[in-house]
Amino acid sequence: HIPMDEIAPRGQRLPLSSPVRQKQQRTAAKALPPPTPSQRLPRAHVLLSIMAETITADAVADAVAPGGIDAGHTAWILMSCALVNFMTPGLAFFYGGLVRRNHVLSIIIQNYVCMGIITLIWVVWGFSLCFGASGWFYGDPGDFVMLNRVSGAPLPHEGRGKMGEAYVEGIPGLVFAAYQGMFAVITPALMTGAFAERIKFAPFLVFVVLWVHLVYFPWCHWVWGPNGWLMTWGVCDFAGGLVVHVTAGFSALATVMALPSREKLEGAPVDTTPHNVPYVALGTALLWFGWFGFNGGSALGSDSVAAYALINTEISASVALLVWMFIEWKLEGKPSLVGVCVGAIAGLATITPAAGFVKPWAAVVIGTASAIFCYACVYGLTKMGYDDALDVWGVHGMGGFLGTCLLGVLAEHDVNGVSGDWNQFKKQLAAALLCAIYSFVVAFALMKGLMLVMDVVPDVEMVRSGLDYSMHGMLAHNSDDDDAKPKKSAARGPEKTEEMDGSGAKVGIRLDP
C-alpha cells in the first residue's frame, strides 16, 4: 500500500527526497549486478566528455577578448614578429662570412642600420603608406601617421565598402603593424649582398631611404594593402615573393649594372673566396629559423594555413639544399658547405610566395625547381661578367620570381581558397614581370642619379685597405694575432714525422727532446 501523498501526478516524477523514491532506488540498486570494467569505461568517457566540453567552452570564452582579440592568434604573430626580426642579424652574418675579411663590418653595419632607419620611417608614415586608404600608388599617409588609430584592438579597415570592419580579425593592430614592419626592414638589407665592397656608407643610407619609398611601399600597398589594385585583380603573394624577393633581387641586379665591378674598381683580379664559412653556416641557421615566422606568420593566425606554410617552408629548403649540393658535386667535383647553405636559402626564397597556397608534395617540386633554376641563374650571370657579389639576384630575385609563377600552377583550393590554373598563372606571371621591370628601372635610375650628385663609389685605396677600417675605423679581425707565429708547446708530446721505411711507407713518431 502506497499513501496517496506519495503518488506523483501524471507526467511527473517523485522528488528525490521522497521516501518512496529513495526506497525504489535502493531496491533497484540491489537487483542490478555490479558493473564490469567494460561497463565502467563508457561511463568514464561520458564524464570526461562532459568535463572537456565545459572546459573548452570556458577556454574559448577566455581566449577571445571582448574587443575581438584571439589570444592564440596574437601569441603566434608576436612570436613570428620576433622570428622575422631575428632574420636581419642572420642575414648580416650570412653576408659577412661570404665577403673578404677586411669588408666584414661594412656589410654587417649596412644590415643593422636598416633595422634603425626603416623602423623609424615605418612608424612615422611608412605603415600608413602601405595600409592606409588606397590612393592607387600609395595608401593615405595621414591614416595611421605615427601609428595613430593603431591600438590593442584589431586594425580598422580602410578599404572601400569595408569601413568599420577589422583589417585582420583576432590580432591587435599594433601587433600587425610591428609584424609587417619587420618585412620592410629586411627587404632593403637583402640588396646589400649585391653591391658589397663597393659603395660608401652615406650614399647607401640615401639610396635605402629613397628605395623603400619608391619601390617597397608601393608594391606592399598594391599587393597587400586595402583595395590594392594587384590584390583586387587576383594576384597572390603569401609572404613576399613579389613584395620582398623580386623587388630586392631585381633592384640588386640594377645596382650591379650601375656600379663598377670589384675587379674594375681595384684594377686586378679579385679573390672572392668566402673568408669565414662558419659565419655563413650560422647566418643560414638564423635565417632558416626566422623563416618559419616569415612564412608561417603570414597566415596572420595560428590555423591550418599557418600549418601548411610552416611545413612547406621546411620541405622546400631541405630539398633545395640537397639538390644544390648534388649539382655542385657533379659539376665542380666536391660538395661545399657554402653551396649547401646557398641552396637552402634558394629553397626558402622560392617557397615564400606559395607557402600558404600549396600542399607538401608541391613544396618538394618547388624546392627541386628552385635549386636547379637558381643555380643556373647564378652561373649564367657570373659567366656574363656581372659582379653580383653574393648572388642576390640569382637566389632571391629569380627564386621569388619562380615561386610566384609556380603558385599559379600548384595552388590548391582547399588549402587557402586559390586554385592553380591557366588564368591564375597568367596573373602571377604578369605581376612578376611587372615587378621585376619596375624594380630594376627605379633602382638603376636611383643609383645613377646618386652617382651624379654624390661620391658613391669608394676609391681604390679605401677598398684595398678594407672598408671596415677606411669607412668605419674598426677591424673585424686582429691582424697582430693573424701574423703571429704559433708558439711551440713546452710540453713533451708526440710529433709525427715523414720518415720512410725501406718499402716507402711513412713511419715513426718521435718525442720532442
Side-chain angles (χ1 to χ4, degrees):
H1 174 71
I2 301 176
M4 293 299 295
D5 58 348
E6 293 293 344
I7 299 176
R10 186 176 180 84
Q12 298 184 17
R13 303 180 69 181
L14 289 170
L16 290 175
S17 59
S18 167
V20 174
R21 178 73 181 277
Q22 293 175 359
K23 183 177 180 180
Q24 291 173 344
Q25 291 174 340
R26 287 193 298 270
T27 302
K30 290 178 181 178
L32 292 173
T36 64
S38 61
Q39 291 173 326
R40 292 193 189 100
L41 190 60
R43 298 177 189 176
H45 281 176
V46 171
L47 178 59
L48 290 174
S49 177
I50 294 172
M51 293 173 62
E53 289 176 4
T54 304
I55 293 170
T56 303
D58 292 342
V60 170
D62 292 339
V64 181
I69 300 302
D70 184 284
H73 294 333
T74 301
W76 171 233
I77 305 307
L78 284 168
M79 181 182 294
S80 297
C81 181
L83 289 171
V84 180
N85 186 57
F86 202 43
M87 292 174 69
T88 302
L91 183 68
F93 270 96
F94 181 76
Y95 284 169
L98 289 171
V99 297
R100 290 176 289 178
R101 61 184 295 106
N102 53 355
H103 299 275
V104 180
L105 301 183
S106 65
I107 197 164
I108 289 179
I109 194 174
Q110 288 174 359
N111 282 261
Y112 271 75
V113 78
C114 288
M115 300 173 75
I117 195 167
I118 303 303
T119 298
L120 180 61
I121 293 171
W122 185 256
V123 169
V124 177
W125 60 69
F127 179 69
S128 194
L129 291 175
C130 292
F131 294 97
S134 183
W136 193 81
F137 192 80
Y138 285 134
D140 187 338
D143 277 350
F144 303 118
V145 63
M146 288 298 294
L147 299 185
N148 180 44
R149 299 194 304 121
V150 183
S151 65
L155 185 74
H157 206 303
E158 296 298 321
R160 291 182 295 274
K162 296 185 178 180
M163 300 296 288
E165 299 179 14
Y167 192 71
V168 180
E169 296 283 354
I171 64 173
L174 287 170
V175 174
F176 176 74
Y179 179 68
Q180 292 295 333
M182 302 304 156
F183 287 72
V185 166
I186 197 171
T187 304
L190 289 173
M191 293 187 293
T192 60
F195 47 74
E197 306 178 7
R198 57 188 188 277
I199 187 171
K200 290 184 176 180
F201 190 61
F204 166 76
L205 296 179
V206 177
F207 176 76
V208 164
V209 170
L210 294 175
W211 185 86
V212 293
H213 286 86
L214 294 177
V215 179
Y216 183 82
F217 292 161
W219 276 92
C220 181
H221 181 69
W222 299 343
V223 176
W224 291 337
N227 297 129
W229 65 273
L230 283 172
M231 179 178 63
T232 303
W233 186 39
V235 173
C236 296
D237 182 6
F238 185 73
L242 290 170
V243 177
V244 176
H245 293 289
V246 175
T247 59
F250 279 85
S251 294
L253 179 63
T255 62
V256 167
M257 294 185 175
L259 294 169
S261 68
R262 288 172 293 176
E263 185 172 327
K264 183 177 180 181
L265 179 62
E266 299 181 36
V270 175
D271 181 10
T272 58
T273 304
H275 99 280
N276 193 318
V277 176
Y279 273 15
V280 178
L282 174 62
T284 302
L286 297 178
L287 285 167
W288 197 331
F289 179 65
W291 227 296
F292 290 118
F294 196 92
N295 287 353
S298 292
L300 299 177
S302 52
D303 54 17
S304 63
V305 177
Y308 276 111
L310 190 142
I311 191 63
N312 289 337
T313 300
E314 175 67 14
I315 292 171
S316 180
S318 301
V319 172
L321 179 155
L322 289 174
V323 175
W324 192 291
M325 181 187 74
F326 287 128
I327 293 173
E328 188 179 55
W329 200 344
K330 174 67 176 177
L331 298 181
E332 301 182 25
K334 294 179 181 179
S336 72
L337 179 56
V338 171
V340 164
C341 293
V342 174
I345 300 301
L348 291 166
T350 307
I351 194 63
T352 293
F357 293 108
V358 301
K359 290 188 174 178
W361 69 266
V364 176
V365 176
I366 291 173
T368 303
S370 70
I372 298 170
F373 185 68
C374 293
Y375 189 97
C377 291
V378 170
Y379 180 82
L381 192 67
T382 303
K383 280 295 183 182
M384 287 188 287
Y386 292 107
D387 187 15
D388 183 354
L390 308 182
D391 304 327
V392 178
W393 173 76
V395 174
H396 294 279
M398 294 309 294
F401 190 101
L402 176 64
T404 300
C405 294
L406 289 179
L407 187 165
V409 178
L410 302 174
E412 296 195 36
H413 189 272
D414 59 342
V415 175
N416 199 9
V418 177
S419 298
D421 54 31
W422 175 242
N423 185 53
Q424 187 65 42
F425 174 76
K426 289 190 295 183
K427 293 178 180 179
Q428 298 297 125
L429 177 60
L433 287 171
L434 177 62
C435 186
I437 295 169
Y438 177 93
S439 301
F440 181 91
V441 171
V442 173
F444 189 86
L446 273 177
M447 186 59 73
K448 284 297 186 181
L450 285 177
M451 293 173 73
L452 292 175
V453 297
M454 298 182 72
D455 189 10
V456 174
V457 181
D459 59 52
V460 63
E461 293 303 322
M462 292 178 66
V463 176
R464 287 178 178 172
S465 63
L467 298 185
D468 288 356
Y469 187 77
S470 60
M471 286 201 307
H472 304 290
M474 300 184 74
L475 294 173
H477 303 281
N478 191 324
S479 58
D480 293 336
D481 290 343
D482 294 338
D483 296 335
K485 295 180 180 179
K487 296 180 179 180
K488 196 172 184 179
S489 173
R492 196 164 188 258
E495 178 184 344
K496 293 183 178 179
T497 70
E498 300 263 325
E499 297 172 0
M500 303 289 183
D501 64 5
S503 65
K506 296 178 182 179
V507 296
I509 293 181
R510 70 166 182 261
L511 295 176
D512 291 336

